[in-house]
Amino acid sequence: MPIYRHLLGPMDNNTYLIVDEVTGEAALVDPSFDSEQLLPEIEQLGYSLRYILNTHAHLDHVVGNAFFAAWTGAPIALHKDDLGLLHAVPEQAKAFQVEVEPSPEPEILLEDGQELPLGELSIKVLHTPGHAPGHVTFLVEDAALVGDCLFQGSIGRVDLPGGSAEQLMASLHNRLLTLPDETRVLPGHGEPTTIGAEKRHNPFLRSSGHVEHER
């Protein structure tokens, strides 16, 4: 099961493509700025986009929703607690002095524990709030696509609207750190890591400090 990582846009976002090689079904996770360049590759390889998955609705993780929904017809999937952020995408864009097309409404409202079939694969949803109220993690086989709640050597920021340090630490310790140590961690920014490596080396998981977080 390949998961392709694409580093895109001015905020150095990771946009992921999960592919079931048996059926050619694919899921696009967090289409960021400049992600439209991935469409020719997806079409050339013969993949069928079944889902547009959002870990959360901050601008840089959903800005490509409208493009891919229009061109592929794939449904957008987002947790209901982030609908407010999704509706505020134009206002988020103004803060960066850019104009973007508003995201279509999600056709799939994600819930904790939900499983999304992708060919012969299954993508499990974990609600991991803290960085955003409706932040989720997608689990597929040995990988966790964690959005902006966990990074290599750091954790997500909590000073944005809807952020909560208490919720984030609960999500990290009660949800993510209970995964097997060998679980691959695929973050929204930065390099991949593993659960075991972050348990051993991430200073934010060994203390209560919340300074110098990532995006």
Side-chain angles (χ1 to χ4, degrees), residues 8-10 32-38 63:
L8 299 171
S32 187
F33 291 99
D34 303 331
S35 58
E36 62 274 4
Q37 66 186 268
L38 303 181
V63 68

Side-chain angles (χ1 to χ4, degrees), residues 103-116:
S103 173
E105 288 293 304
E107 296 181 38
I108 302 172
L109 292 180
L110 300 172
E111 298 181 1
D112 185 57
Q114 183 176 359
E115 297 198 10
L116 302 171

Side-chain angles (χ1 to χ4, degrees), residues 8-213:
L8 299 171
M11 300 183 189
D12 291 335
N13 281 75
N14 291 322
T15 292
Y16 296 96
L17 188 70
I18 306 170
V19 177
D20 174 58
E21 291 188 304
V22 176
T23 63
E25 286 191 346
L28 187 67
V29 182
D30 289 352
S32 187
F33 291 99
D34 303 331
S35 58
E36 62 274 4
Q37 66 186 268
L38 303 181
L39 182 60
E41 177 183 341
I42 293 171
E43 293 178 334
Q44 183 178 3
L45 293 172
Y47 297 146
S48 174
L49 196 62
R50 181 162 182 179
Y51 305 110
I52 302 164
L53 304 179
N54 298 150
T55 59
H56 62 296
H58 287 152
L59 174 65
D60 53 322
H61 293 259
V62 301
V63 68
N65 279 3
F67 174 85
F68 281 97
W71 279 95
T72 69
I76 296 166
L78 177 76
H79 193 280
K80 62 181 178 61
D81 288 352
D82 257 23
L83 284 174
L85 282 175
L86 189 72
H87 296 157
V89 159
E91 286 72 27
Q92 293 186 52
K94 287 180 183 178
F96 294 97
Q97 298 182 329
V98 297
E99 292 186 8
V100 301
E101 186 175 353
S103 173
E105 288 293 304
E107 296 181 38
I108 302 172
L109 292 180
L110 300 172
E111 298 181 1
D112 185 57
Q114 183 176 359
E115 297 198 10
L116 302 171
L118 183 73
E120 297 188 355
L121 301 174
S122 180
I123 301 173
K124 185 175 181 179
V125 178
L126 287 184
H127 186 205
T128 49
H131 179 67
H135 194 294
V136 300
T137 291
F138 297 110
L139 301 179
V140 53
E141 293 190 341
D142 69 338
L145 291 84
V146 299
D148 284 1
C149 61
L150 179 63
F151 303 100
Q152 186 183 77
S154 191
I155 60 176
R157 60 188 297 179
V158 294
D159 58 339
L160 299 172
S164 166
E166 183 178 359
Q167 285 188 332
L168 179 62
M169 297 310 293
S171 294
L172 292 170
H173 287 282
N174 299 336
R175 309 308 300 273
L176 294 187
L177 296 188
T178 62
L179 298 173
D181 281 2
E182 61 270 19
T183 301
R184 292 185 292 150
V185 173
L186 306 181
H189 306 268
E191 294 297 315
T193 181
T194 66
I195 291 294
E198 296 315 299
K199 283 181 179 178
R200 292 189 297 272
H201 304 301
N202 192 317
F204 297 95
L205 302 180
R206 298 196 303 269
S207 70
S208 59
H210 299 294
V211 296
E212 296 191 18
H213 302 312

